[in-house]
Amino acid sequence: MKKSIHYIALAALTAVAVASCADNSKLAKQIEGSWQGNPVSVPSTSAGIINMTDTWTFINDDTRATGGELVVTSMASVEWPLTAEGDSVAPQSAPYALTLAASVSFNASWDLDADDPDEEILVSIDPKTMSISIDPAAVALSTDGNPTTVDSIPPSVYAAVRSELTRAVQSRFYPINHLDDVKIQGSTLKFEVPSGQEKSDDVKMILTRKGGLGR
């Protein structure tokens, strides 16, 4: 009789453990896929204006089913004001603005947090994977709001923009090591990125699924 009770208790614990793993696996499968956010204005150390539209792609590692690879890409639009006095590209002395498009990406890994697998995800970003690409076909120059043309854009301008985008990515993403209060409602993914300060200062992210549903 004691053995029977022991086996029943063991079976109950096993069932709970299996159910828990299934729940964890369900969350991991739900988040799998690509999610896109809204354009975000990013503070700039220069007078430039940067807007970034992020896409988070969660790839599930089937061998573990509770984590995998995370790829973050961002389409950036940059407006870079310059003056003729400070740069030879300007065709005249009036202030002008350079606008361009760039893509930024980096890789990371993600895992459900064992302490709170229903609402928290651990993230580990690999800084060495960051890539920035400026689209040469999406460069425009204007003077006082009116389009103008030049023969070429000095490499120093591209270098300055690339440096500013690098700083923007480092300040926005590199401090992230976990996602709080992760919730999936239909085609919407919500979570908070801890700011390291008061809870009220955490950054709330709302993304929409791209393409089909996860597994």
Side-chain angles (χ1 to χ4, degrees):
M1 183 64 178
K2 287 184 178 180
K3 286 186 178 181
S4 297
I5 294 174
H6 173 75
Y7 289 144
I8 292 173
L10 181 60
L13 289 173
T14 302
V16 170
V18 169
S20 177
C21 290
D23 289 342
N24 293 352
S25 178
K26 180 181 179 181
L27 176 60
K29 289 178 180 178
Q30 283 181 327
I31 203 170
E32 185 176 19
S34 295
W35 306 81
Q36 187 176 74
N38 295 318
V40 175
S41 180
V42 181
S44 173
T45 57
S46 70
I49 299 173
I50 301 176
N51 288 291
M52 302 178 74
T53 302
D54 308 325
T55 297
W56 296 56
T57 300
F58 293 84
I59 302 168
N60 204 329
D61 184 347
D62 289 332
T63 60
R64 292 183 292 127
T66 58
E69 183 181 3
L70 170 62
V71 180
V72 178
T73 60
S74 186
M75 300 306 297
S77 63
V78 182
E79 182 174 328
W80 201 259
L82 297 170
T83 60
E85 292 81 0
D87 201 296
S88 60
V89 69
Q92 51 194 0
S93 60
Y96 71 101
L98 181 74
T99 57
L100 53 83
S103 60
V104 179
S105 68
F106 61 86
N107 296 347
S109 61
W110 68 277
D111 288 278
L112 299 182
D113 189 340
D115 294 331
D116 190 1
D118 297 325
E119 292 189 341
E120 192 160 336
I121 291 177
L122 304 178
V123 173
S124 178
I125 293 173
D126 183 357
K128 297 189 298 296
T129 61
M130 185 175 64
S131 172
I132 298 176
S133 176
I134 297 176
D135 184 359
V139 177
L141 193 70
S142 63
T143 302
D144 290 336
N146 299 312
T148 188
T149 59
V150 293
D151 293 334
S152 63
I153 305 296
S156 59
V157 175
Y158 290 114
V161 172
R162 186 181 298 274
S163 176
E164 190 67 6
L165 285 173
T166 299
R167 185 209 58 79
V169 171
Q170 290 173 339
S171 62
R172 287 189 66 210
F173 295 106
Y174 283 12
I176 297 175
N177 56 23
H178 67 287
L179 313 178
D180 284 340
D181 298 329
V182 180
K183 292 181 174 57
I184 299 174
Q185 299 171 332
S187 60
T188 301
L189 168 63
K190 298 180 181 180
F191 58 84
E192 295 183 1
V193 175
S195 65
Q197 306 298 322
E198 295 294 332
K199 178 72 174 177
S200 58
D201 293 331
D202 290 352
V203 179
K204 294 178 173 57
M205 304 283 289
I206 301 177
L207 301 94
T208 304
R209 184 182 291 279
K210 296 178 62 178
L213 297 176
R215 293 184 296 166

